[in-house]
């Protein structure tokens, strides 16, 4: 079954993306015509999710270079560097953003002997390829992880690691979808995922579109359901995974992992290799994005706290590898000690 939506698409002179801040009530696609607009879309989570942010970054670089001057090489190169820096400054945690910019930088470097017009064409082709590859990678993650799910399982997921967090098919939801497409009778509990409610707004919307049974719960309900034996597996996405397997994901994921550990429920992370950061060997090195406290004190623009109350708004937390039963990638399921499997996957 094709995705019932297209997360992001290159359209020649603009990028078309589904504005995820409007879901579930409005399914609206917007046209991104400048780097400023792409950076704004990434920062305000109109496009979000580590792999999707990576594809958006590739497309943002290619888009920004369309109007770069071709008659002045120094200006052309300066423009490229400025675009990469601007996109890299949007959100700090998802490593896919930086991996994507690095991918475009390597291409730009390799093509340095070519004419500007040719380089522009190469950047566009690379951005289009990035979107297509991400979709295939997610389908492979689904195939690698689906047998971890048993017929009759109820699975808990947190935030949204579905088709809309990627260029299609999803990571955590991709595994769930692949098991469902095998014919397994499964159900999903979706944490609402405060403060931006990616779970209630996006995961529930996606799973209903795929006819996968989903029940929305508050973030504070998960423990009680585990205590009553109503959850058999947990599968979440990731934004950055250290080489020892420590995984950064949406705030609240760590709490779910501790609860799952206590209740002896397998806790899985699903992510492409591009989310594994080879440069760090511990989750303590992952920079956690801190966002506007108004996202906590307001819901839909309505204030739900005293106007002058202090609010903490960490967008992610880190789950130590000891709490992770397996990390599902397009190359297979890595198990602790994760380094060993990661080294094998990257050597292929
Ligand atoms: C497949 S990566 C999804 C990952 O990204 C989300 O963060 P955000 O919505 O802030 O971009 C969340 O951590 C998801 O698990």
């Amino acid at each position: 079954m094709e995705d019932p939506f297209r997360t992001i698409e290159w359209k020649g002179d603009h990028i078309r993306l589904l504005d995820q801040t409007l879901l579930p009530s409005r399914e609206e696609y917007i046209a991104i015509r400048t780097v400023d607009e792409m950076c704004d879309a990434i920062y305000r989570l109109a496009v979000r999710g580590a792999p999707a942010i990576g594809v958006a970054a590739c497309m943002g670089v290619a888009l920004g270079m369309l109007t770069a001057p071709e008659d002045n090489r120094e200006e052309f190169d300066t423009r490229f560097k400025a675009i990469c820096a601007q996109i890299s400054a949007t959100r700090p945690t998802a490593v896919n953003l930086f991996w994507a910019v690095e991918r475009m930088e390597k291409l730009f470097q390799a093509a340095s002997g070519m004419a500007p017009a040719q380089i522009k064409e190469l950047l566009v082709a690379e951005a289009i390829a990035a979107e297509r590859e991400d979709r295939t990678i997610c389908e492979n993650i689904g195939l690698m992880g689906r047998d971890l799910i048993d017929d009759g399982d109820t699975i808990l997921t947190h935030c949204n690691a579905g088709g809309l967090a990627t260029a299609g098919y999803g990571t955590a939801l991709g595994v769930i979808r692949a098991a469902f497409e095998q014919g397994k009778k499964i159900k999903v509990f979706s944490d609402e995922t405060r403060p931006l409610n990616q779970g209630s707004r996006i995961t529930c919307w996606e799973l209903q579109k795929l006819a996968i049974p989903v029940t929305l719960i508050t973030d504070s309900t998960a423990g009680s359901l585990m205590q009553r034996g109503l959850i058999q597996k947990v599968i979440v996405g990731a934004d950055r995974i250290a080489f020892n397997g420590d995984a950064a994901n949406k705030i609240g994921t760590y709490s779910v992992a501790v609860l799952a550990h206590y209740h002896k429920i397998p806790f899985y992370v699903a992510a492409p290799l591009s989310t594994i950061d080879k440069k760090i060997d511990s989750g303590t090195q992952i920079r956690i994005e801190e966002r506007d406290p108004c996202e906590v004190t307001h819901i839909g623009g309505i204030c739900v706290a005293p106007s002058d109350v202090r609010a903490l708004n960490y967008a992610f937390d880190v789950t130590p590898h000891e709490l992770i039963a397996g990390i599902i990638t397009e190359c297979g399921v890595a198990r602790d000690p994760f380094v060993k499997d990661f080294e094998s996957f990257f050597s292929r």
Side-chain angles (χ1 to χ4, degrees):
M1 174 184 177
E2 271 304 303
D3 282 344
F5 51 78
R6 186 77 179 262
T7 307
I8 185 168
E9 187 180 6
W10 179 265
K11 300 296 273 184
D13 62 349
H14 68 278
I15 296 154
R16 180 178 182 265
L17 59 82
L18 181 59
D19 185 339
Q20 300 184 37
T21 63
L22 303 176
L23 291 174
S25 50
R26 287 159 59 193
E27 199 175 313
E28 267 178 47
Y29 287 83
I30 55 176
I32 301 291
R33 298 185 184 280
T34 66
V35 174
D36 286 347
E37 288 175 1
M38 179 54 90
C39 291
D40 175 63
I42 292 171
Y43 180 73
R44 65 187 182 84
L45 280 76
V47 59
R48 43 144 301 278
I53 290 172
V55 174
C58 285
M59 290 190 177
V61 170
L63 180 73
M65 287 304 287
L66 289 181
T67 55
E70 296 180 15
D71 53 358
N72 180 320
R73 193 53 187 255
E74 197 180 332
E75 264 189 47
F76 184 79
D77 293 356
T78 304
R79 170 76 74 84
F80 179 81
K81 288 192 185 79
I83 289 168
C84 291
Q86 186 181 355
I87 290 174
S88 299
T90 51
R91 296 186 72 191
T93 304
V95 68
N96 305 62
L97 176 80
F98 305 94
W99 175 85
V101 170
E102 209 173 296
R103 172 175 179 165
M104 301 303 265
E105 287 170 337
K106 282 181 185 159
L107 176 64
F108 192 81
Q109 189 56 42
S112 58
M114 294 181 176
Q118 280 179 299
I119 294 174
K120 289 181 180 181
E121 284 173 15
L122 283 175
L123 291 171
V124 169
E126 191 75 6
I128 293 169
E131 193 233 350
R132 195 176 47 244
E133 286 161 15
D134 184 69
R135 163 88 208 212
T136 305
I137 286 167
C138 289
E139 287 170 342
N140 289 336
I141 291 172
L143 294 175
M144 290 293 166
R146 64 186 185 180
D147 292 340
L148 294 171
I149 293 179
D150 299 311
D151 192 27
D153 272 353
T154 297
I155 304 128
L156 172 72
T157 193
H158 187 76
C159 197
N160 172 258
L164 280 171
T166 67
Y169 205 78
T171 54
L173 295 196
V175 173
I176 291 169
R177 179 175 175 178
F180 182 74
E181 289 168 352
Q182 275 182 308
K184 289 172 180 167
K185 299 271 179 297
I186 56 173
K187 293 179 187 162
V188 178
F189 280 124
S190 169
D191 278 346
E192 63 178 341
T193 317
R194 286 277 294 138
L196 295 180
N197 285 61
Q198 289 91 326
S200 59
R201 293 188 305 107
I202 303 173
T203 291
C204 291
W205 182 83
E206 277 198 45
L207 292 177
Q208 285 191 334
K209 287 263 184 191
L210 297 167
I212 297 174
V214 57
T215 302
L216 172 62
I217 59 172
T218 65
D219 296 335
S220 44
T221 301
S224 167
L225 294 173
M226 291 184 190
Q227 189 183 44
R228 293 156 62 185
L230 298 176
I231 291 170
Q232 283 73 51
K233 304 281 185 339
V234 179
I235 305 185
V236 298
D239 294 81
R240 190 183 295 246
I241 300 170
F243 218 63
N244 71 339
D246 294 347
N249 196 53
K250 185 52 54 194
I251 190 77
T253 303
Y254 171 58
S255 311
V256 168
V258 169
L259 283 166
H261 187 70
Y262 177 80
H263 291 286
K264 298 183 175 43
I265 296 168
F267 175 95
Y268 293 107
V269 171
L273 291 190
S274 55
T275 300
I276 298 169
D277 186 347
K278 291 191 270 189
K279 295 177 190 155
I280 60 171
D281 54 15
S282 160
T284 55
Q285 295 165 268
I286 298 174
R287 188 177 151 206
I288 298 298
E289 179 184 10
E290 195 168 347
R291 294 180 60 88
D292 186 339
C294 285
E295 291 178 352
V296 177
T297 56
H298 291 69
I299 298 179
I302 297 168
C303 190
V304 290
S307 57
D308 59 350
V309 73
R310 278 175 53 78
L312 261 183
N313 186 11
Y314 295 128
F316 302 98
D317 56 28
V318 177
T319 296
H321 62 89
E322 295 90 345
L323 300 182
I324 302 172
I327 297 177
I328 308 161
T329 76
E330 64 273 30
C331 289
V333 181
R335 306 278 183 175
D336 216 2
F338 291 105
V339 176
K340 199 163 132 294
D341 284 341
F342 286 169
E343 280 167 353
S344 156
F345 293 167
F346 279 101
S347 67
R348 290 180 189 175

